[in-house]
């Protein structure tokens, strides 16, 4: 079996059937082009820009398709920052956090709402129950799971997380 991953920016919908893939490039016609009046702001007037990237592959949806879509929709952007005294900070190699399961995806990293630490959001992306082992590039004193509101914390005794299919996990880490 073979497949095709189509990554895109700016297209509101897709349909697949009968060996044909269709992209809906506009959501609704303008008021001038139809006999009905759509809600204000719901029509697509003006100039539009569409971008597509195609990745043929063997088999069904997998980690390579997700990585391709992430890279296409969120390209790496580098920005030089001045350090104290105007000098650029020294570069460090390595990752703040990484994990060993390719179907676990990164969603957010932010400072915790209350208290010290950072909140990391991960999710399972392929509908498979998965255990992922986290590895940190800095020493971590405390590791917790919580709900999306960062409440109801449960302390983790290790660095393994078990995910149900499509589950979102909120992890609070205190360096």
């Amino acid at each position: 079996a073979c497949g095709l991953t189509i990554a895109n920016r700016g297209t509101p919908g897709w349909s697949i059937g009968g060996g044909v893939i269709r992209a809906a490039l506009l959501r609704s016609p303008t008021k001038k082009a139809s006999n009905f009046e759509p809600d204000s702001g719901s029509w697509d007037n003006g100039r539009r820009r569409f971008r597509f990237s195609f990745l043929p592959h063997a088999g069904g949806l997998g980690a390579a398709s997700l990585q391709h879509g992430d890279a296409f929709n969120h390209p790496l952007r580098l920005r030089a920052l001045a350090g104290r005294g105007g000098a650029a900070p020294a570069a460090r190699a390595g990752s703040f956090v990484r994990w060993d399961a390719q179907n676990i995806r990164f969603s957010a990293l932010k400072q915790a709402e209350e208290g010290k630490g950072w909140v990391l959001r991960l999710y399972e992306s392929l509908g498979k129950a998965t255990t992922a082992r986290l590895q940190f590039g800095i020493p971590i004193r405390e590791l917790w799971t919580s709900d999306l509101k960062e409440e109801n914390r449960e302390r983790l005794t290790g660095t393994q997380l078990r995910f149900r299919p499509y589950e979102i996990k909120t992890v609070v880490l205190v360096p």
Side-chain angles (χ1 to χ4, degrees):
C2 61
L4 177 67
T5 296
I6 303 173
N8 71 89
R9 286 187 219 148
T11 50
W14 292 85
S15 65
I16 300 173
V20 176
I21 300 172
R22 292 179 187 89
L25 300 180
L26 300 174
R27 290 182 293 167
S28 63
T30 64
K31 182 178 174 183
K32 295 176 186 173
S34 65
N35 292 327
F36 71 94
E37 186 172 338
D39 293 336
S40 178
S42 67
W43 53 82
D44 286 332
N45 288 331
R47 179 174 243 178
R48 297 285 181 254
R49 183 176 182 173
F50 304 99
R51 291 186 178 189
F52 302 93
S53 177
F54 301 91
L55 176 68
H57 53 79
L61 179 67
S65 294
L66 298 173
Q67 291 168 349
H68 178 77
D70 283 349
F72 183 75
N73 283 302
H74 307 287
L76 182 63
R77 292 190 171 104
L78 300 178
R79 184 172 65 177
L81 300 174
R84 292 187 178 115
R92 274 183 69 190
S95 294
F96 177 72
V97 62
R98 63 178 177 243
W99 47 93
D100 59 357
Q102 291 185 339
N103 58 320
I104 303 303
R105 311 302 289 169
F106 169 82
S107 177
L109 177 67
K110 66 181 203 76
Q111 286 189 300
E113 292 294 324
E114 293 184 19
K116 299 176 184 174
W118 294 87
V119 172
L120 171 68
R121 285 225 172 80
L122 303 170
Y123 65 95
E124 195 289 317
S125 59
L126 293 177
K128 300 176 185 177
T130 302
T131 299
R133 184 182 312 273
L134 302 177
Q135 295 176 324
F136 297 97
I138 62 170
I140 300 296
R141 290 185 300 135
E142 298 175 23
L143 196 58
W144 304 77
T145 60
S146 75
D147 60 21
L148 289 172
K149 296 191 303 186
E150 301 174 33
E151 299 171 352
N152 303 315
R153 292 185 181 190
E154 293 182 27
R155 189 168 196 145
L156 290 170
T157 57
T159 59
Q160 282 191 0
L161 292 174
R162 287 193 174 89
F163 289 82
R164 293 186 311 270
Y166 303 112
E167 182 179 17
I168 300 168
K169 290 267 189 198
T170 300
V171 180
V172 180
L173 31 130
V174 179

